[in-house]
Amino acid sequence: MPMLKAGEVSLKVQAGEVSLAWREWGEGDTIVLFIHGNLASKDWIELAAPHFPRGVRTIAIDWRGCGDSDKPAPLADFSNYSIAQHADDMLAALDALGVAFCHLATHSTGGIISTRMILKQPERFGRVFSLSPVGPQGLAFRPEQAAFFGQMKASKELTRQVMAATAMSLFEPASLAQGPARFKPDVGARAGLFERIVDQTFAVSDGIWFGTPDTLTKEAESGALKARMGSIPHPHLVVWGMYDGVIPERDLKEMAAVMPDCRLVAVPGIGHSLNLEAPELYAGYFGAWFGGL
């Protein structure tokens, strides 16, 4: 399978009713599926992937509504953009790609998507590397917080500023508070990837802008996945940046305490997006967890 370079057209795989975009790095018997977070894409590990260990094939797939995947119109209740739907899409994509067993690497909302995948087909998955995940607890948004996504959609400047706050170590601290966010002088290629990621955000479906906060709130209110957290035996490595303003540390401590095999590592000086902020460090955790399997 040919490798993609930055800017190349994605490969496509049919997953039920939608065509999902995907790309891969490396080759080998150990397969890892990367599941990105909200308002994001498969490209978030682009700078980290060249540092992944040999013998690991990493596949990254855009959710429906994101990146280069199909963007169906959302239903009124956002049911076609639910966490369960994203999980089913990923399972169908693995079927179509002929992947019978793999490990998982997730970021943010990709974490709770992976939880639903594991609970639905537990025998299909091995280890999980979760970066700043939305845990099985879900993530509740107050009405004014959910409405803020509409303000972001209407303003690229606002969205860039919010996304900069999720990758805070790349930016001058004063510019995060006052705006516009200014890169530190040594960020190199990370700056270009960040700006491309911001541009990608403005192509996502309304099912992402508005459906994700809706479905995460429903997950939190139902408590269904949280109630099953103690029954998930799959080894989890949870890595969390200590400056992360998105994911509550208490949720990750609860995961580590309740799940049978879950380790939490807190990284100083990093925000919500280690894979973008310090890609080589992200690759180090990735390699320690999946290398040699």
Side-chain angles (χ1 to χ4, degrees):
M1 187 66 66
M3 297 291 101
L4 293 177
K5 298 178 182 178
E8 288 189 354
V9 176
S10 299
L11 301 166
K12 292 292 185 74
V13 61
Q14 194 67 30
E17 64 183 17
V18 295
S19 178
L20 302 182
W22 67 286
R23 62 185 297 189
E24 65 176 359
W25 297 266
E27 56 186 15
D29 294 333
T30 299
I31 301 175
V32 178
L33 172 66
F34 173 69
I35 308 173
H36 65 75
N38 189 41
L39 299 175
S41 76
K42 61 190 177 305
D43 296 339
W44 279 60
I45 57 169
E46 182 178 288
L47 296 179
H51 305 284
F52 291 170
R54 298 176 69 125
V56 176
R57 177 190 178 200
T58 303
I59 298 170
I61 303 176
D62 286 331
W63 302 1
R64 66 167 61 203
C66 289
D68 297 312
S69 289
D70 286 353
K71 300 172 175 64
L75 300 176
D77 63 355
F78 298 111
S79 57
N80 62 332
Y81 280 90
S82 67
I83 297 302
Q85 181 62 68
H86 289 307
D88 286 346
D89 287 347
M90 292 295 160
L91 293 171
L94 290 175
D95 288 343
L97 292 171
V99 177
F101 178 86
C102 67
H103 307 279
L104 298 168
T106 74
H107 183 208
S108 196
T109 303
I112 193 169
I113 293 172
S114 76
T115 300
R116 284 208 168 270
M117 294 168 66
I118 287 169
L119 288 171
K120 191 163 190 177
Q121 296 185 11
E123 72 290 342
R124 189 169 198 167
F125 302 104
R127 292 186 169 207
V128 184
F129 172 34
S130 294
L131 173 61
S132 295
V134 176
Q137 304 95 329
L139 194 63
F141 290 83
R142 299 188 301 274
E144 63 273 18
Q145 291 175 314
F148 187 70
F149 284 90
Q151 298 175 41
M152 290 175 62
K153 181 187 176 186
S155 170
K156 187 173 182 178
E157 291 181 0
L158 176 60
T159 295
R160 185 181 184 278
Q161 196 70 18
V162 171
M163 293 181 70
T166 71
M168 50 75 58
S169 67
L170 300 182
F171 296 89
E172 298 288 354
S175 72
L176 291 175
Q178 300 172 3
R182 296 187 307 276
F183 291 109
K184 293 177 180 177
D186 60 346
V187 300
R190 293 170 292 174
L193 179 56
F194 176 84
E195 299 294 4
R196 179 151 53 91
I197 283 167
V198 173
D199 288 341
Q200 286 179 346
T201 300
F202 281 83
V204 304
S205 163
D206 280 357
I208 300 300
W209 282 113
F210 307 111
T212 304
D214 178 83
T215 190
L216 288 178
T217 300
K218 287 174 180 173
E219 293 282 5
E221 291 174 346
S222 78
L225 294 185
K226 180 179 179 178
R228 301 179 66 183
M229 188 160 47
S231 68
I232 301 173
H234 301 65
H236 277 63
L237 174 63
V238 176
V239 175
W240 176 78
M242 295 177 72
Y243 290 159
D244 190 339
V246 179
I247 304 299
E249 183 181 15
R250 64 177 180 275
D251 285 0
L252 307 187
K253 287 183 173 179
E254 184 179 26
M255 287 177 65
V258 175
M259 293 175 66
D261 189 353
C262 181
R263 176 187 176 194
L264 171 61
V265 176
V267 183
I270 295 293
H272 183 62
S273 305
L274 178 67
N275 45 12
L276 176 60
E277 295 176 73
E280 291 187 21
L281 180 58
Y282 174 88
Y285 284 111
F286 184 103
W289 196 237
F290 297 124
L293 292 178

